[in-house]
Amino acid sequence: MDTEKQVEKSEECDLKSKSSSKPNEHNEPKRAASEQEQRLKMKMSKIKHKVAIISGKGGVGKSTITVNLAIAFAMQGYTGRVGVLDADIHGPCVPKMLGLRGQKLVGGPAGMLFPVTGPLGIKVVSMDFLLPSDEAPVIWRGPLKMRVIQQFLSDITWGELAFLFIDLPPGTGDEPLSIMQLIPDMDGVVIVTIPSEVSQVVVKKAITFAKQLGVPIIGIIENMSGFVCPECGAKIDIFKVGGGKKIAEDSSVPYLGKIPIDPEICSDSDSGTPFIIEHSTSPTTKAFKEIVMKIEHFLENKKNIKRTHTTYVQ
Amino acid sequence: MDTEKQVEKSEECDLKSKSSSKPNEHNEPKRAASEQEQRLKMKMSKIKHKVAIISGKGGVGKSTITVNLAIAFAMQGYTGRVGVLDADIHGPCVPKMLGLRGQKLVGGPAGMLFPVTGPLGIKVVSMDFLLPSDEAPVIWRGPLKMRVIQQFLSDITWGELAFLFIDLPPGTGDEPLSIMQLIPDMDGVVIVTIPSEVSQVVVKKAITFAKQLGVPIIGIIENMSGFVCPECGAKIDIFKVGGGKKIAEDSSVPYLGKIPIDPEICSDSDSGTPFIIEHSTSPTTKAFKEIVMKIEHFLENKKNIKRTHTTYVQ
């Protein structure tokens, strides 16, 4: 039965082979957990900067911003040293946006698993690479999602990276909480919103989430801000303008800038060619590059910022 | 500490007062669960039609469509007999869209709790009515979310309703799964997508989700479809056009119609006045009313459709 297959799939996703373990040990589960924790620490210690991209509401462009951030940093002398973790287990979009649909995680000797390599040597890990087809949903509750995210971090051979960008699903539930727990030395979060008031209400929760978990907030990006008709030049505020800046001011967090609604972004995402490459001289790319500079500046100066505390909610 | 407060909050959200229970019974937890199940069955039996609004990706307009569907049905002779359950625990938007921000669930005799009443007598329940402020996030893992959703259904006095519309967060995780498990006689789901290819990829998973759980699919709505410049009349396809129809055809599920991007929808949502009331003669409202007719037709004929099976994935 289909639903039973789904349950089985969760077992298949136990990425790390258990063949090397000794089954007759009494405290096997505890030891395995401790070993995984060690592997996770070791893997993450090889990645200099870790940045999560979060939002309150969905559909505000987190994945688009994540892949374009990765491309922007890879272009600045970090080819082959940038990674993207697509932590949206139910709706993974990163592979589609980087032209990597249909690819699978690559196996190596001794049960090693490698990310898929995308444009400019970007290393990508996504649930999408484990699914048999587009149609296959991941009908999982929180504990299974926590487990697979843990394995993405601990059991994938990410290698030495300068940057890991983590694309999180909307909200403040299992996936964002798991990531913040598993990476206590997260450099910070980039918060994405659209300017509408409805989105503002929800993005406030994302700000409090980061503050409560003691994760530095790099800043807020106002995405889908305004619209200029390409035919007549009229300014039409589809989702309004200024909401991201307002929320940044109200909440005393940095404002990184705004990115306009641009039909080219949608078609570039659909065709798997990030807009920063495909439309490298457009006003959208120009706006985006200014944001990238601010993020780079934050990361260069991050030694001044320490995570205040790392207590968590279960 | 703030994070501890969050944990405490989960306890406060045990909506049903425990004062009437007998603490010295050995099998108390089992009995309480069974009693809750009975209350849930009883409450749901008084609601004739239950419809969930789901999507693959976030930000496609589920909440907007939910509140406008509720208003449309309330206008058709069901004033006071329509309910909306906002099942998005992390990013509840329904109260804002119905002008009900800052309201609280209403207490009654013997520990009864009533929904907030919105325009046209619509009964609304949302996590938003339990939070102390906009800023407060709900940093909860799946099991707590399952529990509060169960209580929304079993411990709120919904009364006799003709329709309950359930606004679900994106994806195929805890909240959608909980709702499908708790309401086995769900009439069906309305699936919302935007036309982009990225959204199409994810919406396929929502279709499979409904099919695997044996819930009838009422049909697909293509939202944010195309854009007509209000200044020059040029047609600009911001998120493309036709993706929803294509996916409906490819997946052999009914296509309900498309709703254009309209800046008025955003400002109506922000001001808490559903567009179907505020712009009752606009082309968007016209398109929406045709969709409403199809949903009404489905519900009238639903006796022909039976849920095929109700097995679930944990």
Side-chain angles (χ1 to χ4, degrees), chain B residues 75-116:
Chain B
M75 286 166 106
Q76 288 174 10
Y78 296 100
T79 302
R81 294 186 58 212
V82 175
V84 174
L85 171 60
D86 183 357
D88 191 336
I89 305 300
H90 300 299
C93 290
V94 168
K96 168 86 178 156
M97 291 180 176
L98 283 172
L100 301 172
R101 294 306 318 286
Q103 303 228 23
K104 300 286 166 201
L105 295 179
V106 186
M112 285 167 92
L113 265 179
F114 294 92
V116 169

Side-chain angles (χ1 to χ4, degrees), chain A residues 1-3 6-7 58-59 90-91 93 96-97 101 131 134-142 146 171-174 177-178 181 196-198 201-202 204-205 208-209 212 227 229-232 234 236-240 261 263 266 269-270 311 313-314, chain B residues 1-3 6-7 58-59 90-91 93 96-97 101 131 134-142 146 171-174 177-178 181 196-198 201-202 204-205 208-209 212 227 229-232 234 236-240 261 263 266 269-270 311 313-314:
Chain A
M1 202 161 60
D2 285 341
T3 47
Q6 280 300 125
V7 177
H90 300 298
C93 290
K96 168 86 179 160
M97 291 180 177
R101 296 304 320 286
L131 297 175
D134 277 2
E135 289 79 10
V138 180
I139 310 177
W140 285 1
R141 291 193 177 276
M146 167 76 173
T172 53
D174 287 278
L177 192 49
S178 298
Q181 288 183 341
S196 77
E197 282 177 35
V198 168
V201 169
V202 189
K204 282 183 191 169
K205 298 181 196 300
T208 311
F209 171 79
Q212 284 193 356
F227 175 72
C229 175
E231 295 295 321
C232 70
I236 316 289
D237 291 342
I238 294 177
F239 296 117
K240 303 193 177 171
I261 291 190
C266 177
S269 292
D270 278 357
T311 47
V313 185
Q314 288 304 318
Chain B
M1 202 162 56
D2 286 340
T3 46
Q6 280 302 125
V7 176
H90 300 299
C93 290
K96 168 86 178 156
M97 291 180 176
R101 294 306 318 286
L131 297 175
D134 276 3
E135 290 79 10
V138 180
I139 311 177
W140 285 1
R141 291 194 176 278
M146 167 76 172
T172 53
D174 286 278
L177 193 48
S178 298
Q181 288 182 341
S196 77
E197 281 178 33
V198 169
V201 169
V202 190
K204 282 183 192 168
K205 298 182 197 300
T208 311
F209 170 79
Q212 283 192 357
F227 174 72
C229 175
E231 296 294 321
C232 70
I236 317 289
D237 291 342
I238 294 178
F239 297 118
K240 302 191 177 173
I261 290 189
C266 177
S269 293
D270 278 357
T311 48
V313 184
Q314 287 304 318

Side-chain angles (χ1 to χ4, degrees), chain A residues 262-277:
Chain A
D262 182 345
E264 283 170 352
I265 294 184
C266 177
S267 62
D268 290 346
S269 292
D270 278 357
S271 66
T273 50
F275 71 81
I276 194 168
I277 296 180

Side-chain angles (χ1 to χ4, degrees), chain B residues 53-69:
Chain B
I53 291 82
I54 67 170
S55 76
K57 255 179 69 60
V60 296
K62 270 182 317 301
S63 302
T64 307
I65 284 171
T66 305
V67 300
N68 281 284
L69 269 179

